[in-house]
Amino acid sequence: MMYKRVLTIQDVSCVGQCSLTVALPIVSACGCECAVLPSAVLSTHTGGFQGWTFRDLTEDMPAIRDHWIKENIKFDAFYTGYLGSTKQVDYVRSILSTTGVEGALKVVDPAMADNGKLYPGFDMAFVESMKNLCGEADYLLPNITEACFLTGMEYRETYDEAYVVSLCEKLTAQGAKSIVLTGVGYRPGMTGVVVYKAGKIEYYEHKKISTGCHGTGDVYASAFVGALMKGKTAFESAKIAADYTVKCIENTIDDKNHWYGVKFETALPNLMKMLE
């Protein structure tokens, strides 16, 4: 298989095992060259730490893009995560349209909401901007909350397959080619992932671990991208990413001092076996 170059665009939380600090090692471990474009640099993530520092890198993005164009640097795939503003979304869309090889894959994780609510600092103007980026995705990776904000559908904590199919249909109507909808659970104690493309739906169910962990969405998306670039199908990649994320949580939940993320590094050998 050809050696692929993936560009991931998201923030750097220096401590906290999320965003670029998980995307870079996981995608690299899957055998890809992983280039990075930090959207911001934080001393830690914002979930539980106090007094964290933040440096916005929005205005660096155009110059970085221009240098890549000048050097004829091209990417085989793009993977976007947390973006902090509508201006960043616009810059990212420009980067995706100017620095990819022909047919470059676009994987978008619209990291902006969970549990029925937008993350702090986001509003409906950001949602509208994110819709434009999501509409250009080859693979769109929302959770149910994000899918509801993107489509205008009512958020529900209990639902049936018809509700999930409707979410996916509306997302594809906005332009995304394939939907990978995470956190889909139809019965107690279980959750899973739906892969939807061209009217076909596939569902992988796995056990739900009640303990919440920071950064697991980033771990999942990074493993999905790595498996996809390794030549796995979208459904195979979704399954591998789910199993890997569960293993990361299992390797962490007994350590009460490790509340800020998951020990994804300890499960990388498991991911390598899954990719064989």
Side-chain angles (χ1 to χ4, degrees):
M1 180 175 291
M2 291 180 61
Y3 183 58
K4 300 287 188 178
R5 176 189 282 162
V6 179
L7 172 65
T8 183
I9 309 173
Q10 48 192 305
D11 69 283
V12 177
S13 292
C14 299
V15 173
Q17 292 173 306
C18 65
S19 57
L20 276 182
T21 58
V22 302
L24 176 58
I26 290 175
V27 174
S28 298
C30 293
C32 300
E33 177 184 352
C34 188
V36 300
L37 177 53
S39 58
V41 177
L42 295 84
S43 54
T44 66
H45 64 60
T46 59
F49 292 105
Q50 302 297 321
W52 35 268
T53 67
F54 175 87
R55 182 171 294 276
D56 184 5
L57 299 180
T58 302
E59 298 309 323
D60 292 276
M61 288 179 164
I64 292 171
R65 175 203 59 204
D66 292 346
H67 183 231
W68 287 341
I69 292 172
K70 179 181 178 182
E71 294 295 324
N72 196 33
I73 293 171
K74 299 285 187 179
F75 303 99
D76 298 294
F78 300 97
Y79 156 34
T80 72
Y82 183 95
L83 302 173
S85 65
T86 58
K87 181 178 280 191
Q88 285 193 354
V89 174
D90 291 340
Y91 284 157
V92 167
R93 292 179 66 205
S94 173
I95 290 165
L96 269 57
S97 67
T98 56
T99 62
V101 302
E102 185 175 355
L105 285 178
K106 300 175 182 178
V107 181
V108 176
D109 176 7
M112 62 180 181
D114 203 359
N115 298 315
K117 298 179 181 180
L118 289 171
Y119 293 154
F122 289 151
D123 55 20
M124 291 309 298
F126 181 84
V127 173
E128 290 300 315
S129 180
M130 182 57 73
K131 284 182 184 179
N132 296 322
L133 177 60
C134 293
E136 299 169 1
D138 293 296
Y139 296 94
L140 178 61
L141 277 61
N143 58 38
I144 287 181
T145 299
E146 289 158 348
C148 288
F149 274 107
L150 290 167
T151 61
M153 284 185 60
E154 178 189 4
Y155 171 74
R156 300 179 188 172
E157 294 187 357
T158 58
Y159 43 80
D160 56 14
E161 186 176 291
Y163 173 81
V164 169
V165 169
S166 183
L167 280 173
C168 293
E169 287 176 342
K170 289 180 181 295
L171 290 169
T172 55
Q174 292 174 356
K177 295 182 177 66
S178 297
I179 311 301
V180 181
L181 186 63
T182 61
V184 179
Y186 297 117
R187 56 191 181 126
M190 304 298 290
T191 188
V193 56
V194 163
V195 178
Y196 180 90
K197 182 177 183 180
K200 180 183 179 183
I201 189 168
E202 296 178 280
Y203 179 58
Y204 176 63
E205 185 182 61
H206 60 86
K207 67 180 179 180
K208 182 177 182 179
I209 300 176
S210 58
T211 302
C213 295
H214 295 289
T216 49
D218 299 331
V219 168
Y220 179 90
S222 301
F224 175 84
V225 170
L228 197 67
M229 299 307 295
K230 195 75 171 177
K232 302 296 184 182
T233 67
F235 185 70
E236 289 170 338
S237 299
K239 180 181 182 297
I240 287 169
D243 289 342
Y244 172 62
T245 303
V246 169
K247 182 61 177 174
C248 293
I249 298 171
E250 289 176 338
N251 287 6
T252 310
I253 54 176
D254 289 336
D255 185 350
K256 302 305 180 184
N257 292 321
H258 202 97
W259 55 267
Y260 51 84
V262 290
K263 300 178 181 179
F264 73 92
E265 305 91 342
T266 65
L268 282 173
N270 302 84
L271 178 59
M272 298 301 99
K273 290 179 182 177
M274 295 174 194
L275 291 172
E276 292 177 357

